Amino acid sequence: MFRMDVSGLIPKNMENRGLLILKDNLRFIEDILSHRRIPKEGLPEDKIRLLLKFFSLMDTDKDPKVIRIGEREGRCVSKIQEELVSGFCHGIGRSGNLIDPQPKAPGASAMYNLTNSMLTSFLRNLGLKVHGIGLPVATGLSLSLCLNAVRRMYNSNVVIYPYAAHKSPIKGVYLVGFRMRLVETKLYGDAVKVDVDDIEDAIVHEIDMGNNPCILSTLTFFPPRESDDIVEIGKICKEYNIPHIVNGAYALQNRYYIEKLRKAFKYRVDAVVSSSDKNLLTPIGGGIVYSKDKDFLREVSLSYPGRACATPIVNILISLLSLGMKRYLELMEEQRRCRDLLEELLNNLVEKTESKVLNINNPISLAVTVNSDPVEIAGKLYNLRVTGPRGVRSTDKFATCYLHKYPYDYIVINAAIGVRDKDIIAVVEKLEDVLLRR
C-alpha cells in the first residue's frame, strides 16, 4: 500500500525484522478488504480503530492541500465532534441515494459498502440467504423507508397491520402517508395473536375496494402478543401478489425467529427490518434491512432523503468486527440458556406467590401474573435499579395488544442477547422481594 523506508536508520537485520512484524500487524486490513466477510474471531479494539482511521483518512476533509469552498465541507468546531463520528465528517450517501458513493467521502463510502458486505455475510452465516444493508435510523424509520420502497415499486396505498401495540411501526406507517387497516387480535388461552384467515379477509376486502394493499407483520414482540405466522402470511402474499414487510426488531439473536424467517423467505417476504442495538449490541440509532431482492434494497436506499451521519453505520461495523461470528454464536447460546433459567426461576417463584407464568410462545421474554398493581411493581423494580421489566394492567388495551379486557395483570421480563446468568438470578430475587413484601 505504501513503502515505509527505514533503511539506514537501523541495522539491516533489524530493519527486515521490524518490517516483517509491521506487515503481519497490518495484514488484517488486507484480509478484511479482500474477503469482506465478518471475521470468525473478533478483532481487538486497536486494530478496529486503525481500520477506521485508514478509511477516514481517504475523505477529502483530511486532504492537507484541499481547498474547501462548499457549504458542506466536513468542518468541525471541536475535535470531539470528529471523534464522535470516527473521523467520517462527510457522512454517507448522496442526496439521491443512501448507498451511492459520495465524491467528498471515498473512505466513508468504502466503509459503508464494506459494512453492508459484512452484514450480508453475517446474515448468511445465520442461515438466511439474503442481502443486507445498514441504515442510519432505528426500527420505525427503517420500516418507513421500506414502505416507501413498496409504494415506489408496487404502487401500494394501504398497509394491512395485524395489530401489535408498538408506536414506532404505527408512526412509521403514517409518516409515509399510507392508510392503515388494523386486523384485530384474538385470545387463545393466555396468548394474544391474529388469525391468518382474518388477514386474508382484509386483503380480499382491500383488493375488492380497488386498493393495492401490503402487509406489515410482526415477528418479535412482548408477551402476551405472540408472533404473527409470517410463513402463512408469506404464502398468502405470494398467492395474491402483494408486498410483505416483516418487523423483526430483535429477530437475529434467536434460532426460533431465524427459522421462521428462513421458511417465510421461501414464499413472499420483500424485506425484514431488525434493530442494530437489539441484535448487534450497538448504541441506539441503526437499522438492519435484509431481503432476497437487491433491487428492493436499492429502492429502500433511494427513499432516504439526503446524506446521513456515518456513526450508526460505523457502530454496526465495529460490532461485527469486535464480536466475530464465533462470539456472536456464543452469545446466542448464552441468551437461550438465560431464557431457560428465567423460566425455571419464575416457575419456582409462582409457587410462593399464587400467580402463574403465562403460557406464551416466546424465546426471549416471559410474563408472570401479579395480584397487585403491575405498574407499581415495575416502578419498585426500577427504583431497585432493575431496568427492562414492563408492568401491564389487564385494562390497558394498548399494552396488551388486545382490544378487550385481558384476563390478567402481569409483569414482562426479558432474557435478551447480552444478558448474563447473574442478571436473571438478581431480577427474580428482587421481584420476589417486592411481591412477598406486599
Side-chain angles (χ1 to χ4, degrees), residues 320-390:
L320 293 171
L321 292 172
S322 296
L323 290 167
M325 203 65 216
K326 180 181 177 182
R327 179 57 184 150
Y328 193 80
L329 295 175
E330 290 171 353
L331 286 174
M332 290 177 68
E333 178 60 22
E334 188 175 357
Q335 182 276 317
R336 185 193 63 78
R337 290 197 308 269
C338 285
R339 167 58 174 74
D340 290 346
L341 175 62
L342 177 61
E343 184 170 13
E344 177 187 342
L345 295 178
L346 286 179
N347 279 319
N348 292 338
L349 173 63
V350 298
E351 294 178 3
K352 308 173 187 177
T353 57
E354 298 181 353
S355 53
K356 76 167 188 172
V357 177
L358 294 178
N359 184 20
I360 311 294
N361 194 9
N362 189 307
I364 307 292
S365 307
L366 285 160
V368 58
T369 64
V370 292
N371 299 317
S372 55
D373 186 356
V375 176
E376 184 180 334
I377 292 170
K380 289 184 176 182
L381 289 172
Y382 180 79
N383 289 333
L384 291 171
R385 307 172 84 170
V386 179
T387 57
R390 302 168 75 237

Side-chain angles (χ1 to χ4, degrees), residues 157-342:
N157 61 350
V158 58
V159 173
I160 295 173
Y161 185 53
Y163 181 53
H166 191 185
K167 292 180 181 178
S168 292
I170 293 173
K171 288 182 176 181
V173 170
Y174 289 129
L175 180 66
V176 188
F178 277 93
R179 179 171 65 84
M180 177 183 286
R181 180 188 180 92
L182 291 178
V183 183
E184 292 189 16
T185 57
K186 296 178 179 178
L187 192 62
Y188 296 84
D190 295 338
V192 172
K193 49 189 174 182
V194 176
D195 193 317
V196 174
D197 289 340
D198 292 343
I199 297 172
E200 185 171 10
D201 288 345
I203 292 171
V204 172
H205 176 81
E206 291 297 335
I207 292 174
D208 287 346
M209 293 290 290
N211 292 315
N212 296 318
C214 62
I215 302 289
L216 174 56
S217 64
T218 302
L219 178 59
T220 57
F221 208 75
F222 302 108
R225 176 67 157 87
E226 285 194 354
S227 301
D228 288 329
D229 190 341
I230 63 169
V231 177
E232 291 303 314
I233 294 172
K235 291 178 182 178
I236 293 170
C237 289
K238 183 177 181 180
E239 178 183 351
Y240 288 92
N241 193 29
I242 65 170
H244 180 198
I245 305 299
V246 177
N247 180 3
Y250 46 92
L252 296 175
Q253 60 181 277
N254 189 278
R255 291 291 180 189
Y256 172 84
Y257 293 130
I258 292 170
E259 183 61 17
K260 281 185 173 291
L261 287 171
R262 193 185 64 79
K263 291 178 180 178
F265 270 119
K266 295 179 181 179
Y267 302 102
R268 180 72 186 262
V269 173
D270 293 77
V272 184
V273 173
S274 295
S275 165
S276 67
D277 67 280
K278 291 182 176 71
N279 296 280
L280 291 177
L281 311 178
T282 70
I284 286 175
I288 303 167
V289 178
Y290 40 109
S291 173
K292 291 170 64 177
D293 185 356
K294 292 182 76 172
D295 289 337
F296 187 88
L297 293 179
R298 180 167 179 80
E299 285 295 333
V300 172
S301 172
L302 287 167
S303 296
Y304 188 92
R307 301 186 199 180
C309 177
T311 301
I313 304 304
V314 173
N315 284 331
I316 292 173
L317 178 59
I318 290 171
S319 282
L320 293 171
L321 292 172
S322 296
L323 290 167
M325 203 65 216
K326 180 181 177 182
R327 179 57 184 150
Y328 193 80
L329 295 175
E330 290 171 353
L331 286 174
M332 290 177 68
E333 178 60 22
E334 188 175 357
Q335 182 276 317
R336 185 193 63 78
R337 290 197 308 269
C338 285
R339 167 58 174 74
D340 290 346
L341 175 62
L342 177 61

